[in-house]
Structures are given as C-alpha cells and as structure tokens.
Amino acid sequence: MIPLHHYLVVGGVLFALGMVGFLARRNLIILFLSAEMMLQGVAINLVAFARFRGNLQGQAFTLFILTVAACEAGVALALVLMLYRSRRSLDVSLWQDLREAHQPPTLDEEPLPPAPSEEPMPKLTPAGHEPQHREETTHV
C-alpha cells in the first residue's frame, strides 16, 4: 500500500505548478488550464485523506470539485471565444475596459508587441465571361 504522504506530495506539486502557471502567464487558455490543475491537486488530496481515514466524505466532496471544474471549463470556453473574436488575441491584459470606473488601468512591465497588420485578401480574376442576366417578368 502506498503511504499517504506520497499522494499528498503529488497533490501539492500539482497545486503548486497550477499556481505558478496561473500567476506567471497571461494567456487565457493557460490561466484556465492552471486553475484546473490546482483543482485536480486538491481533489487528489481529498481522495487520499478519505482513503486514509476510511470514510467517503472526501470522495463525495471531490465529485463537487469535478462539477465545479466542468462548469469552469464551459465558462472558460465562452470567455476564450469572446475575447478572441473581439480582440484577435488571448492576452488578458486586453480586458482593461472591464475594470470599474474609479480603478486605474493596469500597466504591463513589458509592453505587448505591435499587432501584425492584416494583409488584404487576394482578388481572383473572373474565369470566362459573365452571363447576361434576364429580367424576370411576373404574370398576374
């Protein structure tokens, strides 16, 4: 049987890696993946304690954590799609307009690189002659 502290170390490492990823990155997808990693680290610890104590309370609470994680994934997908459609980037610093009116804007230590200019789509020349259109008459 594997001792309890092995499970706790794995859960603690998952939580720590998730926290480092959440605090160090600005990409919205990485932020939500890091939050998921932290939730999974907590879930491993709850299941380990439940098995060690011989009751099912930790495992039942883990089901609630998994439900919250699934809801968070749905909200994350909606936020990622909304941000990418409106700003064409997944950088969370672009959400400055969502702050409250009395809050000063957050300034980045290193500015974002300039956005690449969008090149116009190529225009294809028509192949062949365009047919003449006939006016349709309606008979009443």
Side-chain angles (χ1 to χ4, degrees), residues 25-113:
R25 301 305 233 154
R26 294 187 337 192
N27 187 330
L28 198 59
I29 295 175
I30 300 296
L31 287 177
F32 282 111
L33 287 176
S34 297
E36 291 285 333
M37 193 182 300
M38 288 190 290
L39 285 173
Q40 296 306 318
V42 170
I44 287 176
N45 285 340
L46 284 172
V47 170
F49 277 123
R51 182 173 169 94
F52 179 73
R53 294 184 54 126
N55 61 17
L56 297 177
Q57 292 172 354
Q59 292 177 4
F61 196 62
T62 300
L63 289 176
F64 289 112
I65 289 178
L66 293 176
T67 304
V68 167
C71 293
E72 181 210 355
V75 170
L77 179 62
L79 287 174
V80 165
L81 289 175
M82 184 185 75
L83 181 64
Y84 188 76
R85 282 184 183 173
S86 65
R87 307 295 170 109
R88 295 288 182 216
S89 174
L90 293 178
D91 192 356
V92 293
S93 65
L94 297 176
W95 280 16
Q96 293 287 328
D97 55 342
L98 295 179
R99 68 181 188 281
E100 295 181 16
H102 66 280
Q103 296 270 335
T106 305
L107 300 175
D108 291 332
E109 292 177 6
E110 53 186 63
L112 292 174

